[in-house]
Amino acid sequence: MNQNQHSNSNDNDPSDEPTAASLNFIEQIVAGDNESGKHEGRVHTRFPPEPNGYLHIGHAKSICLNFGIATANGGKTNLRFDDTNPAKEETEYVDSIMEDVRWLGFQWDNVYFASDYFQQLYDFAEQLIKSGHAYVCSLDAEKTRSYRGGWNEAGKDSPYRSRDPEENLDLFRRMKAGEFTEGEHTLRAKIDMASPNMNMRDPTIYRIRKIKHHRTGSDWCIYPMYDYAHGISDSIERITHSICTLEFEHHRPLYNWFLETLDIFPSRQIEFARLNITHTMMSKRKLLELVQDNQVSGWDDPRMPTICGLRRRGYTPESIRNFCTRIGVTKQNSRHDMAWLEDALRADLNKRANRRAGVLRPLKVVIENYPEDQVEQLDAINNPEDESAGKRKVPFGRELYIERTDFMEDPPKKFFRLGPGREVRLRYGYFITCTDVIKNDAGEVVELRCSYDPETLGGQAPDGRRVRGTIHWVAAATAITAEVRLYDHLFQTTDPFEASPATDTLAEASYLNNLNENSLEVLTNCKLEPSLKDAAVGELYQFERLGYFCVDNKDSSPGNLVFNRSVTLRDTWAKMQRKK
RNA sequence: UACCCCGUAGUGUAAUGGUAACACCUGGGUUUUUGGUACCCAUAUUCUAGGUUCAAAUCCUAGCGGGGUAGCCA
């Protein structure tokens, strides 16, 4: 970064003026509206989750978009729970959603529920009936479907379409009073059964549901449908820009129809492409299936793309927000590489996380020429990217653990680590040379005998000799034993729904066959440096040369530390191995 | 089959009639007491074909390709 400030004096450029970030298409619409004075420059968005599941990274994109646009324009954002279907919605989800939005770093200006508007929505419905724009239909669900027609076939008018307003009003009031059974009647908008847009073929706007609602209890037995409730809720809140995903595109004419017919505040719906990421999926319904099938330990399993899963995995709000701004907003269906998300985390943590030593798969090393009882406290830098993080002391002794993968009995040419007769540097310690390899009866390497060069403390040899490799280590006497959980992609295929011909009969079932069986590896005998003893939930560390790790927020306790690997470091050595 | 939306390096985005840019991935290199970080280099007939224009990724037409839609779900 300094290089820019010291840009050459012969450079004619007066400055490295940062060019204004280009606006995405929604920001352009908002900017245009501000310019034309459409809502006197007012910008008001909303984030409208249905409380029927946990938020995931796809919602994070929407949250960042909605809150981001409001903030950038001095506007406001409401959190609104779209709770019009009592069969699916629960308070548990309401709480988790609020927690996740806050955790991501956003504060809503108002929190509302669509159920707050049930009375008003009902009143508007009576108004539509009176003006002849809605009628009570007594077709059952199956008949309704067949009357709707198909893509090549216009729908037929319901025989109840011509009921007069008085009869409709009476019937509707009796629906509300609970005089009918579920499915006996519905209220439908009277639009156009021949419309090429199915949503305009007299959509249902109220149905009878004799189910307790998580907020209104049994006050109501008729509930409004999404299309009806959503736009009107936007309008009631005077939302200027109602941002939603692409699958609602064909609903926009209906959205507008309600607002125009009722002649209420003209919120505008704008659609963008939902987020997809490789090796995972965003379907709330299928995520719920994974939870119910015990394919994962819960909504907050660190392999899940849920906000709570990512949080438990060690993702920071900053990294997620950063990811969301980097992926952009368009109307193109796309799938982002998981590497982007991981990269966003690494970029954040590289600057903030303190370094520590941890050995995942320990191999004992005895330094034969090191005094039996001697213990030295060596200086280690906490974070080379942040001098203010300071230093710490790390104990060194005659017996150490090193990473099993840092030793090879018969190393290939490019292997810079330990091998028989080879010399490496112990990070912040001495050069050691492997003098002997001890094996068990099965022929497995169980211990290494080494010698050290006392002149090389601090990692430099006075005679100027160099070593290619530097490895991490933990002194055996003072090591903490901990559990470490390693995670990999939940799905082995980039697209979880990709058919896997070997196992699939039904394409629909394929995503279970694409689960990565090795997505979780639990290591129970990891050796960590003693300074990690008091590591607290929420703390993130880089275990040098391995990756970023956080204390698990559920299963870890002071005496029994459990760490999750949030993301590995980039590993060019592993990459070379993989190519072979 | 009808309607709607979308086609720019491998991936994802930018350029809004005027030199196709950035990030990630991948490959190569420099630096390095983390095989990390940082830095440098490499990769495009802008889906195709016509048209408008001095000039088209951008505007028009057609084709092709991808996605979405027929809940009393959201």
Side-chain angles (χ1 to χ4, degrees):
Chain A
M1 329 168 176
N2 279 342
Q3 285 154 329
N4 282 344
Q5 292 170 2
H6 302 293
S7 54
N8 318 345
S9 44
N10 61 8
D11 190 343
N12 307 351
D13 243 88
S15 65
D16 311 322
E17 204 166 294
T19 51
S22 56
L23 300 179
N24 66 49
F25 82 101
I26 298 179
E27 292 167 334
Q28 288 176 31
I29 290 170
V30 172
D33 288 345
N34 287 343
E35 213 164 308
S36 71
K38 184 169 179 184
H39 300 291
E40 301 85 41
R42 191 174 62 87
V43 174
H44 203 332
T45 59
R46 103 268 89 116
F47 173 62
E50 181 188 13
N52 69 341
Y54 284 73
L55 258 30
H56 54 58
I57 182 79
H59 295 110
K61 176 182 180 182
S62 171
I63 291 167
C64 290
L65 219 203
N66 277 294
F67 282 89
I69 281 183
T71 303
N73 292 281
K76 293 180 174 176
T77 305
N78 294 349
L79 173 62
R80 183 172 69 235
F81 291 95
D82 227 326
D83 55 349
T84 55
N85 183 356
K88 292 190 184 174
E89 295 143 9
E90 294 170 28
T91 305
E92 173 198 355
Y93 296 126
V94 172
D95 297 338
S96 78
I97 288 168
M98 294 201 286
E99 181 188 1
D100 288 347
V101 174
R102 270 195 223 102
W103 178 78
L104 278 172
F106 298 102
Q107 187 49 249
W108 48 86
D109 291 278
N110 306 100
V111 58
Y112 295 126
F113 292 78
S115 51
D116 292 339
Y117 310 132
F118 279 173
Q119 184 60 48
Q120 202 162 350
L121 258 4
Y122 175 85
D123 293 340
F124 278 131
E126 285 208 352
Q127 193 177 313
L128 287 177
I129 291 170
K130 289 172 186 163
S131 62
H133 291 289
Y135 62 96
V136 172
C137 180
S138 309
L139 253 22
D140 63 28
E142 200 179 321
K143 275 278 189 317
T144 304
R145 194 182 331 121
S146 65
Y147 271 70
R148 188 157 33 233
W151 290 319
N152 296 313
E153 175 199 4
K156 285 187 297 183
D157 284 0
S158 161
Y160 306 99
R161 198 175 203 258
S162 50
R163 287 213 259 236
D164 58 51
E166 290 71 39
E167 186 184 0
N168 284 321
L169 203 53
D170 173 63
L171 252 14
F172 187 51
R173 286 175 178 169
R174 288 164 60 197
M175 280 169 64
K176 175 179 184 263
E179 289 185 27
F180 305 114
T181 58
E182 288 193 11
E184 205 173 338
H185 303 290
T186 57
L187 185 71
R188 300 176 68 179
K190 191 191 279 190
I191 308 180
D192 177 10
M193 289 307 290
S195 170
N197 182 343
M198 291 291 173
N199 296 116
M200 302 301 273
R201 321 248 265 223
D202 288 11
T204 301
I205 60 182
Y206 265 92
R207 77 293 211 184
I208 300 170
R209 264 359 213 131
K210 302 205 168 176
I211 302 178
K212 252 193 160 160
H213 185 275
H214 74 116
R215 295 190 78 242
T216 60
S218 39
D219 292 354
W220 297 85
C221 63
I222 56 171
Y223 292 94
M225 297 285 291
Y226 165 86
D227 285 306
Y228 178 73
H230 196 93
I232 294 176
S233 299
D234 283 341
S235 182
I236 290 170
E237 296 176 19
R238 300 176 66 77
I239 298 300
T240 54
H241 304 270
S242 176
I243 301 167
C244 64
T245 45
L246 248 29
E247 65 269 28
F248 293 105
E249 228 161 0
H250 347 247
H251 295 243
R252 193 184 339 125
L254 180 55
Y255 181 101
N256 292 336
W257 186 90
F258 286 123
L259 302 193
E260 283 160 15
T261 306
L262 257 8
D263 192 25
I264 53 180
F265 182 81
S267 300
R268 172 175 175 189
Q269 174 179 304
I270 304 166
E271 312 85 13
F272 72 98
R274 72 185 320 148
L275 173 65
N276 292 299
I277 297 180
T278 59
H279 305 287
T280 189
M281 63 184 183
M282 301 301 169
S283 159
K284 264 200 268 183
R285 205 194 94 223
K286 293 200 168 73
L287 256 13
L288 176 62
E289 281 174 19
L290 292 181
V291 173
Q292 290 174 336
D293 284 4
N294 292 314
Q295 301 284 357
V296 293
S297 65
W299 284 101
D300 65 347
D301 186 297
R303 293 166 291 180
M304 293 280 272
T306 48
I307 303 298
C308 54
L310 292 168
R311 176 166 61 230
R312 190 171 172 193
R313 175 78 169 257
Y315 274 82
T316 59
E318 290 81 357
S319 65
I320 293 174
R321 280 190 253 125
N322 209 308
F323 170 76
C324 288
T325 64
R326 285 207 293 179
I327 56 176
V329 178
T330 67
K331 300 187 76 159
Q332 296 175 42
N333 302 106
S334 59
R335 183 183 303 279
H336 286 77
D337 199 313
M338 178 70 90
W340 275 56
L341 224 204
E342 297 176 341
D343 185 72
L345 215 217
R346 285 193 197 101
D348 187 25
L349 262 25
N350 176 50
K351 297 214 179 68
R352 306 164 47 178
N354 280 160
R355 274 57 169 174
R356 291 293 182 267
V359 173
L360 266 29
R361 296 175 179 86
L363 175 60
K364 184 175 258 187
V365 166
V366 178
I367 301 170
E368 293 184 302
N369 61 337
Y370 193 88
E372 292 274 353
D373 308 318
Q374 185 169 314
V375 173
E376 288 179 88
Q377 298 294 331
L378 306 182
D379 277 324
I381 294 165
N382 280 327
N383 185 351
E385 305 289 320
D386 176 10
E387 210 175 323
S388 72
K391 294 182 176 179
R392 70 186 184 286
K393 295 289 186 184
V394 183
F396 182 87
R398 178 179 152 95
E399 298 196 355
L400 313 171
Y401 293 111
I402 66 165
E403 206 69 58
R404 216 155 244 290
T405 50
D406 283 340
F407 172 82
M408 280 184 96
E409 225 184 335
D410 186 19
K413 335 83 252 107
K414 291 269 185 109
F415 187 80
F416 304 143
R417 285 108 97 143
L418 208 51
R422 288 178 168 232
E423 186 173 48
V424 296
R425 173 168 38 232
L426 295 177
R427 178 82 157 148
Y428 299 124
Y430 299 93
F431 286 10
I432 59 168
T433 302
C434 177
T435 53
D436 201 7
V437 179
I438 298 174
K439 298 181 182 179
N440 62 14
D441 295 341
E444 298 159 343
V445 176
V446 292
E447 186 179 312
L448 262 26
R449 294 283 165 160
C450 294
S451 66
Y452 85 116
D453 178 353
E455 301 298 310
T456 55
L457 177 61
Q460 301 289 348
D463 63 6
R465 79 180 186 276
R466 325 258 316 210
V467 292
R468 282 303 293 272
T470 301
I471 65 174
H472 62 279
W473 51 274
V474 170
T478 46
I480 300 168
T481 301
E483 177 176 325
V484 175
R485 298 171 181 173
L486 308 181
Y487 301 101
D488 196 359
H489 301 320
L490 231 196
F491 291 92
Q492 50 196 153
T493 48
T494 54
D495 176 3
F497 301 104
E498 180 179 310
S500 57
T503 44
D504 285 359
T505 44
L506 289 172
E508 178 59 21
S510 67
Y511 80 99
L512 287 176
N513 295 326
N514 289 330
L515 279 169
N516 176 7
E517 287 175 18
N518 304 312
S519 58
L520 169 63
E521 186 178 359
V522 179
L523 269 19
T524 53
N525 187 36
C526 305
K527 303 296 184 183
L528 311 180
E529 66 168 80
S531 69
L532 249 10
K533 182 165 68 73
D534 299 318
V537 168
E539 288 181 343
L540 286 147
Y541 295 95
Q542 183 193 106
F543 290 179
E544 288 206 14
R545 303 210 302 134
L546 298 175
Y548 296 95
F549 296 78
C550 70
V551 180
D552 186 78
N553 65 21
K554 250 187 179 166
D555 300 334
S556 190
S557 61
N560 275 302
L561 288 175
V562 177
F563 280 87
N564 295 318
R565 185 175 68 193
S566 310
V567 64
T568 62
L569 253 29
R570 283 204 187 86
D571 189 345
T572 51
W573 169 247
K575 217 178 274 175
M576 285 164 63
Q577 298 296 290
R578 254 180 279 136
K579 273 191 295 179
K580 288 180 186 167

